Amino acid sequence: MSTVLYDYWRSSASYRVRIALHLADIPFERVTVDLLKGAHKAPDHLARHAQGLVPALTIDDQTFTQSLAILEYLNATRDMQLVPQDPAQAAKVRALAQTLAVDVHPVCNLSVVRFATQDMDNPAQASTAWMQHFIRAGLTAFEAQLAAFDQTPYACGDRVSLADICLIPQLYNATRWGVDVSDFPRTAAVQAACDALPAFAAAHPDALSPA
C-alpha cells in the first residue's frame, strides 16, 4: 500500500507531518481534505479520523492520526533521530516542541477561535487579537527556552529535531496573523537554517496553495 497523507495545505499539524515525510525521503500522495468546505466532517474522512481533523497518514498498511503521534512513529520506524537518545535531553526537546504544538496550536485552532469570538461585537478583529496574543506568548516562551540549547544551527543542535518541525509551522501562522517576532534572534536563526533545507521548502503551504 502506498503512503497517503490526508491533509489541508494551511493546517499546522499537516505541515509538521509533511516536513517529516520529506526529511525521511518517504514518497507520499497528498489527498486534500478541504476544511473550508467541511470535507473533514464527511463520513469517509470520519471513518479514518474519528475526530474529523487533519492530518491522517496511511503508511505501512495502517492509518495514524494526531501529528505528534505520527512524528513519533516515523521517528521510531525510520531512525530519524528527532529526539536525543538520552532520556533527559529527549524530555527537554519534547517539552520545547510541545510548548507550541500542545499549548499554542489547540487554542489557535480556527474552530476554537470562531467559537470563542462569535458573540463579540467584531468577531474578525477579536479573532486576530486572539491569534496574536497566544502565538506571541508561545513564541516568547520558545525563544526563552532556546537559551538552554546550542543552536548549531537548529533548535537543539546540529540535527533537525521535533522542536524544529513544530516551530516552522507556528512561524508561518505568526506571519499569517501579523505577529511581530523581530525580537526573537534565536528563533530567527533556527528558521533560517530550516528554510535552507529542501524538505522544509517542499512542505511549505505556499508550495501547495490551491490555484
Side-chain angles (χ1 to χ4, degrees), residues 191-204:
Q191 182 179 22
C194 291
D195 285 350
L197 297 178
F200 282 83
H204 196 285

Side-chain angles (χ1 to χ4, degrees), residues 27-71:
F28 66 98
E29 174 190 356
R30 284 185 64 245
V31 174
T32 295
V33 180
D34 194 329
L35 304 183
L36 298 183
K37 294 182 179 179
H40 54 304
K41 299 301 183 183
D44 60 339
H45 188 65
L46 289 172
R48 71 178 69 95
H49 197 317
Q51 291 176 282
L53 302 172
V54 290
L57 179 69
T58 298
I59 189 171
D60 300 337
D61 297 321
Q62 300 185 74
T63 298
F64 300 95
T65 61
Q66 289 293 339
S67 65
L68 293 183
I70 292 170
L71 293 175

Side-chain angles (χ1 to χ4, degrees), residues 99-120:
T99 295
L100 302 179
V102 175
D103 290 336
V104 177
H105 178 216
V107 296
C108 290
N109 185 289
L110 279 178
S111 64
V112 173
V113 178
R114 286 169 179 163
F115 182 81
T117 60
Q118 62 184 337
D119 295 327
M120 296 183 180

Side-chain angles (χ1 to χ4, degrees), residues 38 59 80 123 162:
I59 189 171
M80 296 182 69
L162 194 65

